[in-house]
Amino acid sequence: MEVVDVDLSDRTYPIYIGSGLLDKPELLQKHVKGKNVLVVTNTTVAPLYLEKVVGLLKANGSKINVESVILPDGEKYKDMGTLMKVFDKAVETRMDRRCTFVALGGGVIGDMCGFAAAAFLRGVNFIQIPTTLMAQVDSSVGGKTGVNHPLGKNLIGAFYQPQCVVIDTDTLSTLPERELCSGIAEVVKYGLIRDAKFFEWQEENMDKLLARDPDALAYAIKRSCENKAEVVSLDEKEAGLRATLNLGHTFGHAIETGIGYGGWLHGEAVAAGTVMAADLSFRLGWIDASLQSRILNLLKRAKVPVAPPSTMTIEKFQNIMAVDKKVVDGDLRLILLKGELGNCVFTSAYDTKALEETLHSFCPS
């Protein structure tokens, strides 16, 4: 087992990474503060792992009372109406201020459970058990929680850190290939924005990741978590540095919102958004053609989209991006690549004509 710490002073917490962690009851139990636990999961994950996690919490004669709520699966259910089901169950089962919420699932479940924990009784403990590669390398770490609004993704939420993150890499054995590829798109991001050696490792090991080689996946998860933990430790609430983790996300979130939540997986939209961000960076003269080509080739090998769907018009992109969380005083700030591999900037100081050219090159008129 590997342990990566997210250093937040008195709120520092561990990320446990390894095989067979859902067979270690003491790992989970030591992070449960009170006697009541609410496990939040979905209709896909519940048949696979809910019974096992409930058994872990109750193992070795523990006196933990475990309740569960099973939500519908999918990004289209990441909304206030579905969130209320978590609050309903918490109130009905008399969860108290010492209770712990456990997020068992992918990014949607982690985001919603975390937001519910932040709001219920003005804040209760929660634990992340991510079961998708996307959640393991990105969304379960760092305390971003929330739900979508019909006009924009993740516009309602809170920064709220978990007690711990338990990543059992064995859960990836049940992950559909499309979900695996979606998660790899987020792995690629870390190499582009801050870890050139990691990007080069991915170029050498992409086939192993797609083949679910255990050692390759474990390394990719660990290195991604190390990168994210370091960034979150330096900038928990996204004053600047943490925003760089959103490379490709402004375009990607626009795609998800524009085609309807759940039409594309998050990583698929981010992959296309990353190619668009690289295109804009090249048009600005900030990266060279060879780096742009390497990005495109690696994402193609990862079997994710490298362009938005044909239904995304220029007008759709512009309207949705105008309400992006990174807009300040009317200026859209973007994460763009600049310089050698592993370097980026978070800025509104770019030529908007270049942005228009990028949109024109990817979208129907």
Side-chain angles (χ1 to χ4, degrees):
M1 182 175 73
E2 302 273 2
V3 181
V4 176
D5 286 322
V6 181
D7 185 3
L8 293 169
S9 189
D10 60 335
R11 292 175 299 117
T12 294
Y13 59 91
I15 307 165
Y16 303 110
I17 306 165
S19 171
L21 299 192
L22 292 186
D23 294 317
K24 298 180 185 295
E26 67 283 353
L27 200 61
L28 210 52
Q29 289 179 5
K30 71 180 180 181
H31 291 285
V32 173
K33 307 294 185 189
K35 293 183 178 179
N36 294 303
V37 169
L38 177 61
V39 180
V40 182
T41 188
N42 66 32
T43 51
T44 300
V45 176
L48 297 169
Y49 301 112
L50 179 57
E51 187 177 340
K52 179 172 242 188
V53 169
V54 171
L56 278 184
L57 291 162
K58 291 186 171 184
N60 302 330
S62 86
K63 295 182 179 179
I64 299 172
N65 169 55
V66 185
E67 303 286 349
S68 62
V69 58
I70 301 173
L71 306 178
D73 183 18
E75 187 79 33
K76 65 182 177 181
Y77 299 109
K78 187 179 171 183
D79 57 26
M80 293 298 287
T82 307
L83 188 70
M84 278 298 155
K85 297 179 187 296
V86 180
F87 294 131
D88 290 346
K89 189 72 173 186
V91 174
E92 288 166 8
T93 56
R94 299 187 181 182
M95 292 288 147
D96 57 27
R97 279 188 163 159
R98 279 179 55 78
C99 77
T100 299
F101 286 8
V102 174
L104 175 63
V108 171
I109 287 294
D111 284 8
M112 293 182 72
C113 179
F115 189 31
F120 185 65
L121 302 179
R122 298 194 176 96
V124 298
N125 294 322
F126 91 106
I127 291 169
Q128 289 269 21
I129 306 179
T131 58
T132 66
L133 185 61
M134 167 67 64
Q136 291 174 359
V137 301
D138 188 59
S139 62
S140 70
V141 178
K144 275 190 180 180
T145 72
V147 294
N148 299 328
H149 185 277
L151 297 178
K153 190 173 160 73
N154 295 334
L155 295 182
I156 305 161
F159 289 98
Y160 197 70
Q161 303 294 341
Q163 300 299 302
C164 69
V165 181
V166 179
I167 299 175
D168 187 336
T169 53
D170 294 349
T171 60
L172 298 179
S173 66
T174 57
L175 194 66
E177 183 181 20
R178 187 181 170 197
E179 292 269 7
L180 181 77
C181 296
S182 173
I184 290 172
E186 287 282 7
V187 174
V188 171
K189 165 189 77 179
Y190 293 109
L192 289 173
I193 62 170
R194 68 192 316 269
D195 193 344
K197 287 185 177 179
F198 189 30
F199 185 87
E200 291 163 357
W201 178 89
Q202 292 165 38
E203 289 180 309
E204 294 171 8
N205 291 276
M206 182 56 72
D207 292 343
K208 289 183 178 179
L209 289 173
L210 292 170
R212 303 180 197 238
D213 177 88
D215 292 338
L217 282 171
Y219 178 76
I221 294 166
K222 176 175 178 282
R223 194 73 201 109
S224 297
C225 286
E226 286 171 342
N227 272 298
K228 184 152 190 186
E230 185 178 337
V231 171
V232 171
S233 298
L234 294 168
D235 179 20
E236 180 185 3
K237 297 193 175 178
E238 205 165 286
L241 175 65
R242 184 170 180 174
T244 62
L245 295 171
N246 290 312
L247 175 69
H249 284 58
T250 304
F251 297 108
H253 284 172
I255 292 169
E256 290 184 85
T257 304
I259 66 175
Y261 299 126
W264 276 19
L265 296 176
H266 176 62
E268 293 172 334
V270 166
T274 298
V275 174
M276 295 178 76
D279 179 90
L280 176 53
S281 301
F282 175 70
R283 288 175 190 275
L284 292 166
W286 292 358
I287 63 170
D288 59 29
S290 65
L291 178 53
Q292 185 186 17
S293 176
R294 287 172 70 187
I295 294 166
L296 182 64
N297 289 336
L298 188 61
L299 289 169
K300 281 182 177 177
R301 287 176 60 200
K303 300 180 182 178
V304 286
V306 292
S310 59
T311 53
M312 283 301 294
T313 62
I314 295 168
E315 186 179 27
K316 259 190 187 178
F317 266 111
Q318 290 173 333
N319 289 341
I320 297 168
M321 289 162 69
V323 296
D324 188 89
K325 295 186 296 300
K326 292 177 287 299
V327 172
V328 171
D329 297 330
D331 292 327
L332 174 62
R333 298 177 297 171
L334 293 171
I335 297 88
L336 298 170
L337 303 173
K338 192 170 188 178
E340 298 296 316
L341 173 64
N343 291 279
C344 66
V345 291
F346 177 43
T347 183
S348 60
Y350 55 85
D351 185 347
T352 55
K353 287 183 180 178
L355 173 58
E356 288 176 16
E357 289 171 4
T358 290
L359 292 175
H360 274 280
S361 71
F362 281 94
C363 302
S365 298

